[in-house]
Amino acid sequence: IPPKEDAEFIACMEDVLDVYERPYDPLYPVICVDEKPYQLLGESREPLPMKPGSDQKLDSEYVRNGTCSIFAMIEPLGGWHRASVREHRTATDWAEEIKEMVDSRPEVEKIVLVMDNLNTHKVASLYKRFPPEEARRIARKLEIHYTPKHGSWLDIAEIELNMMTRQCLNRRIDNIEELRKELSAWESEKNNEQKKVVWQFRTKDARIKLASLYQKLG
């Protein structure tokens, strides 16, 4: 977080915290989105198999097979999860992911979207990828709220990515298709369990625990 008073940080933070305090409404679901780069790694030597009382042994050397990008989406109070893989991390990739999300939820009136303020995370990206009529259709289904700079911890999808990394990505995966297979299985498990997140950190808590951000403001 910023080291001193920062009105812009506070404004964005309190806006997101207000969103998290909203009661659950299936017609206006809150969905958090985040993405992370992922390095595909292969084995330089065949691992030694597990034996009774002994773990599988991997060589410290590995083969770099390039990078890709993982997108994570979560509806905290609805228990809906989505994980996908893209070869790149461009405005076009983001636009296509958002379109797929919108089209997968035709029953909702509007999606309340929480994400960080990355330069590709803009409505303009929809216009870079789709004709104006389609871009506008998608944009009308979105109510966007950005986390502040240095405040990505406010995006619940970042928590989702951290959990995904521990549970699913804590080993070497050498190709995109295998990665997609692994994430698809992880996504299905989370959706079957309807894993939810109840956010406990409120604006009143922020004004106490992050008091240094508020000093000399107002």
Side-chain angles (χ1 to χ4, degrees), residues 101-153:
M101 177 189 68
V102 167
D103 290 347
S104 72
R105 309 295 292 270
E107 76 282 0
V108 307
E109 294 292 332
K110 188 161 287 194
I111 292 173
V112 182
L113 189 61
V114 176
M115 58 186 171
D116 64 14
N117 201 1
L118 195 65
N119 61 344
T120 57
H121 294 175
K122 308 290 184 182
V123 170
S125 296
L126 299 172
Y127 285 85
K128 291 180 181 179
R129 173 62 181 86
F130 304 110
E133 296 81 4
E134 178 68 356
R136 194 72 240 152
R137 178 190 72 85
I138 299 168
R140 286 195 183 105
K141 297 285 286 187
L142 303 175
E143 177 190 322
I144 297 175
H145 298 263
Y146 291 112
T147 59
K149 186 178 181 181
H150 306 302
S152 60
W153 55 272

Side-chain angles (χ1 to χ4, degrees), residues 72-76 78-83 159-168 182-197:
M73 301 181 181
I74 177 174
E75 182 186 354
W80 177 82
H81 304 256
R82 176 182 168 87
I159 301 172
E160 181 92 333
L161 280 172
N162 290 336
M163 181 172 62
M164 180 193 299
T165 299
R166 292 195 304 271
Q167 296 178 347
C168 184
E182 294 290 335
L183 290 181
S184 177
W186 184 88
E187 174 191 293
S188 296
E189 179 180 337
K190 297 306 172 186
N191 282 318
N192 289 336
E193 295 173 351
Q194 289 191 314
K195 287 288 186 179
K196 301 178 182 180
V197 177

Side-chain angles (χ1 to χ4, degrees), residues 58-71:
L58 305 177
D59 196 282
S60 59
E61 295 184 2
Y62 51 82
V63 178
R64 294 182 175 87
N65 291 331
T67 61
C68 58
S69 185
I70 297 174
F71 282 79

